[in-house]
Amino acid sequence: MKRWPTKPLEQIADLFGGSTPSRANPEFWGGDIHWVTPTDLPMPDEGISIVSKTKDRITQSGLDNSSATVVPKGTVLFSSRATIGKVAVADMPLTTNQGFANFVPHPEVTSRFLAYALWIHREDIARLSGSTTFKEVSRTTLRKFHLPVPPLAEQERIVKLLDEADELRNLRTQADRRTAQLIPALFHEIFGDPETNSLGWPSATFGEVIVSTKLGLVRGAKETDDSLPFPYVRMDAILGDGNLALAPIKRVNANADEVAEFSLRVGDFLFNTRNSRELVGKTALFESGGAYLFNNNIMRIRFNGSIEPRFMIALFQTDFIQRQLEARKSGTTSVVAIYFKNLSNLTWIIDRNNIQIDGITEEVMPLENLRAKLEAFNWFVIEIDGHNIEEIVSACNMAKTVTQRPTVILAHTIPGNGVKFMEYKFEWHGKPPNKDQAKEALKELRTRLYNLEYQKYLDEVSHRRKTMVSTGDRSAKIRTYNYPQGRMTDHRINLTIYNLPSILDGNIQEVLDKLQMAENAERLKESNI
């Protein structure tokens, strides 16, 4: 393997940044200077692009009143924030926003080779951004990043090989798109008619294969801007064929909690819940990297391990599912919605322990009559003792039978149940015990569990004793005596002895032995030995 010298980027290219002129000033926009943002480029895994035209242009006044710099044809553009690693080569003089680090190569490096080198090392560079919510690689860090620098002839040979590989990748992408158009027909041929389940596959409700659902982040048009850090997937990104188009894309701001709550990850199933009648119900699979957020007209659905998301995408393209979705559409002629309650029943368990962090709920923030309030919102309400496992299981089974509206299980519980110094005390809401308190609580819980098990044992013994006592009815015979025949019969163990006078004189050892043997046999039977 050849080992070429490596050099820091600052020794093989000049680095320029970008800027965004104020959009509040119309004199800065609509000129003849091409202006690029990262959203104008495809995602990093789609390879290197060529910038030959731009969506936006700025004026000379906009350039003069910002820190943007016009870079020449052949400049390599590298997105250095948010979605790090988009790479393009400028096919004309242009300028960019602040989301790019723009490299003008020195004579010892060709533009295409530098672009490929940056693209190949994009993940290594992205790792230098640290672990903050807003990812960005500083220019100082980029200047110090080392890349291999082979001779120019070798660079040209490498670029030719990579260009050929890139062309093959593009052909594969086109083939994948054509294949996607055939999916509904192939699905029917391979898996049979999903409406009749003609091949007898195991079936489940949509709700039974779902781990979680989440509607997206609300952001208005005025809250989007190309200079903001997070790409924001809107309903127009979900194409009608099950694919997802992530370029161009709007960008928004979000705090750390919103990023954690509304981020997308590979394998997320996206369902368009609100749109025009012909477009609502579109689906797509998210398969990209980066911190993408999603719009509130999209539901993020995550499946359990029993379903492959790609299978679900194909299923949703079939006529059967499309008819099912059509039947569930509701709304005006211009805006139509499909709500999750129309896809599956929902079960919600409320731990009604009557406390909150700063007091008793009815004294701080009254909730009652909670059942009536829930029923007013069309919930089917089941009330149970939240400490009774049998009632919990029974309520969950009942909830499965309710398919036309959501179910709520109102579980009445005692906060701190089983530990006397914690029971009903709101002060323990979210407060951990210290070491001594934990020791005392565990001791009390162990004692309580022991007492419960011991009581169960006593109840069982009592039940057995009661079964040995006659009700007085002739059919409930335990032992009978026949004096004319001198016979004693114990009906519990089918024992008959013809020596009644001796038994009456107290010689009952034979009877006791037989009873003991019968009891031992019963115990062996119960223990499955």
Side-chain angles (χ1 to χ4, degrees):
M1 178 179 178
K2 297 181 180 179
R3 298 183 64 87
W4 297 299
T6 63
K7 294 183 180 181
L9 277 166
E10 62 184 357
Q11 291 185 14
I12 59 175
D14 295 323
L15 175 57
F16 298 91
S19 181
T20 303
S22 173
R23 290 192 178 272
N25 192 333
E27 295 182 0
F28 295 166
W29 296 90
D32 56 3
I33 301 174
H34 294 276
W35 184 79
V36 186
T37 75
T39 57
D40 297 327
L41 304 186
M43 293 303 296
D45 56 4
E46 296 182 50
I48 297 168
S49 58
I50 303 296
V51 180
S52 56
K53 61 180 179 178
T54 60
K55 180 179 65 175
D56 294 306
R57 298 187 183 193
I58 63 173
T59 63
Q60 185 63 45
S61 179
L63 183 68
D64 295 339
N65 286 275
S66 69
S67 56
T69 302
V70 175
V71 292
K73 177 180 179 179
T75 298
V76 178
L77 315 182
F78 182 86
S79 64
S80 57
R81 57 167 55 179
T83 303
I84 298 172
K86 293 183 176 183
V87 181
V89 177
D91 197 37
M92 59 190 174
L94 52 76
T95 188
T96 71
N97 78 347
Q98 57 272 28
F100 282 111
N102 304 313
F103 296 95
V104 179
H106 294 173
E108 64 182 299
V109 178
T110 69
S111 295
R112 292 288 292 175
F113 177 80
L114 179 58
Y116 273 122
L118 288 169
W119 184 76
I120 290 169
H121 289 278
R122 64 190 186 279
E123 293 182 0
D124 296 326
I125 295 173
R127 281 191 282 270
L128 300 176
S129 64
S131 57
T132 58
T133 300
F134 177 58
K135 301 288 187 180
E136 181 173 15
V137 182
S138 69
R139 295 182 199 173
T140 300
T141 300
L142 283 169
R143 287 190 177 97
K144 302 299 181 184
F145 190 82
H146 280 66
L147 290 177
V149 184
L152 284 172
E154 188 69 8
Q155 291 180 34
E156 295 290 353
R157 188 184 71 83
I158 292 170
V159 166
K160 182 179 179 181
L161 291 173
L162 292 177
D163 281 344
E164 291 173 355
D166 196 49
E167 179 62 25
L168 291 174
R169 185 189 59 79
N170 288 331
L171 291 173
R172 174 61 183 272
T173 300
Q174 295 174 20
D176 287 344
R177 288 173 180 167
R178 293 193 186 99
T179 301
Q181 297 171 0
L182 298 173
I183 284 178
L186 291 173
F187 185 96
H188 195 284
E189 181 178 341
I190 296 171
F191 297 105
D193 185 354
E195 184 169 8
T196 61
N197 193 13
S198 56
L199 297 183
W201 298 106
S203 62
T205 66
F206 193 60
E208 289 173 340
V209 298
I210 288 175
V211 172
S212 68
T213 63
K214 184 71 178 177
L215 289 176
L217 181 67
V218 178
R219 287 291 186 268
K222 294 182 179 180
E223 298 176 279
T224 65
D225 190 271
D226 292 332
S227 63
L228 296 176
F230 297 105
Y232 185 56
V233 179
R234 302 190 301 172
M235 59 186 182
D236 57 353
I238 300 178
L239 306 180
D241 60 359
N243 290 309
L244 189 65
L246 296 177
I249 194 167
K250 297 291 185 180
R251 304 182 76 85
V252 298
N253 215 341
N255 59 40
D257 290 338
E258 290 172 329
V259 172
E261 186 174 2
F262 298 105
S263 286
L264 294 173
R265 69 187 187 201
V266 174
D268 281 345
F269 184 90
L270 304 182
F271 183 86
N272 182 197
T273 60
R274 284 168 55 88
N275 209 324
S276 61
R277 175 167 288 277
E278 67 274 13
L279 295 177
V280 69
K282 296 184 299 178
T283 58
L285 191 64
F286 184 77
E287 299 181 284
S288 298
Y292 279 79
L293 308 180
F294 63 105
N295 177 265
N296 59 299
N297 291 320
I298 295 173
M299 179 182 291
R300 182 190 69 199
I301 299 174
R302 290 174 176 168
F303 299 112
N304 60 31
S306 66
I307 283 290
E308 164 59 47
R310 289 180 180 274
F311 172 86
M312 194 61 74
I313 288 291
L315 180 62
F316 267 67
Q317 300 300 308
T318 63
D319 289 340
F320 169 62
I321 294 297
Q322 289 301 309
R323 291 197 303 272
Q324 295 289 315
L325 294 177
E326 185 65 32
R328 287 161 170 78
K329 294 178 182 179
S330 61
T332 65
T333 55
S334 59
V335 179
V336 176
I338 299 178
Y339 299 105
F340 182 63
K341 66 183 178 64
N342 291 329
L343 297 176
S344 171
N345 63 308
L346 173 68
T347 301
W348 174 26
I349 300 179
I350 297 178
D351 177 15
R352 186 69 176 106
N353 57 33
N354 299 291
I355 67 167
Q356 59 191 78
I357 197 166
D358 49 357
I360 305 300
T361 54
E362 297 312 295
E363 296 176 358
V364 180
M365 187 179 292
L367 296 175
E368 297 300 338
N369 183 346
L370 185 55
R371 180 184 186 116
K373 292 176 180 177
L374 291 165
E375 289 176 338
F377 283 91
N378 200 37
W379 286 85
F380 180 76
V381 181
I382 306 171
E383 292 195 69
I384 64 169
D385 174 4
H387 301 297
N388 188 313
I389 295 298
E390 292 181 355
E391 289 190 25
I392 294 172
V393 172
S394 176
C396 290
N397 289 334
M398 181 184 294
K400 291 180 180 179
T401 68
V402 182
T403 59
Q404 299 304 312
R405 54 178 173 151
T407 298
V408 58
I409 299 173
L410 201 53
H412 296 279
T413 61
I414 298 171
N417 186 41
V419 181
K420 292 299 182 184
F421 69 85
M422 287 185 175
E423 286 186 356
Y424 300 105
K425 303 290 178 58
F426 69 84
E427 293 85 358
W428 289 101
H429 186 96
K431 173 186 173 183
N434 60 36
K435 186 175 181 179
D436 291 336
Q437 291 168 333
K439 185 176 180 180
E440 181 182 351
L442 289 172
K443 179 180 179 182
E444 188 172 344
L445 288 172
R446 291 191 187 100
T447 300
R448 183 174 182 181
L449 289 173
Y450 172 80
N451 289 337
L452 288 172
E453 289 300 315
Y454 185 64
Q455 187 59 49
K456 284 173 61 178
Y457 167 74
L458 293 178
D459 291 343
E460 184 180 350
V461 171
S462 176
H463 174 72
R464 287 183 177 180
R465 286 176 176 171
K466 287 179 180 179
T467 62
M468 298 175 69
V469 178
S470 174
T471 62
D473 189 271
R474 288 183 60 86
S475 63
K477 296 179 293 184
I478 294 176
R479 189 178 295 116
T480 57
Y481 303 89
N482 190 310
Y483 287 93
Q485 298 180 4
R487 172 173 57 80
M488 185 279 296
T489 299
D490 192 313
H491 298 277
R492 295 168 300 178
I493 58 174
N494 295 318
L495 172 66
T496 298
I497 298 177
Y498 288 91
N499 193 8
L500 183 57
S502 178
I503 291 173
L504 294 177
D505 286 339
N507 298 317
I508 61 172
Q509 188 60 47
E510 182 180 1
V511 177
L512 295 177
D513 290 342
K514 297 292 185 181
L515 287 170
Q516 185 65 58
M517 289 175 61
E519 183 178 356
N520 290 342
E522 185 65 25
R523 288 181 176 179
L524 287 172
K525 182 179 178 181
E526 290 177 355
S527 63
N528 295 318
I529 296 177

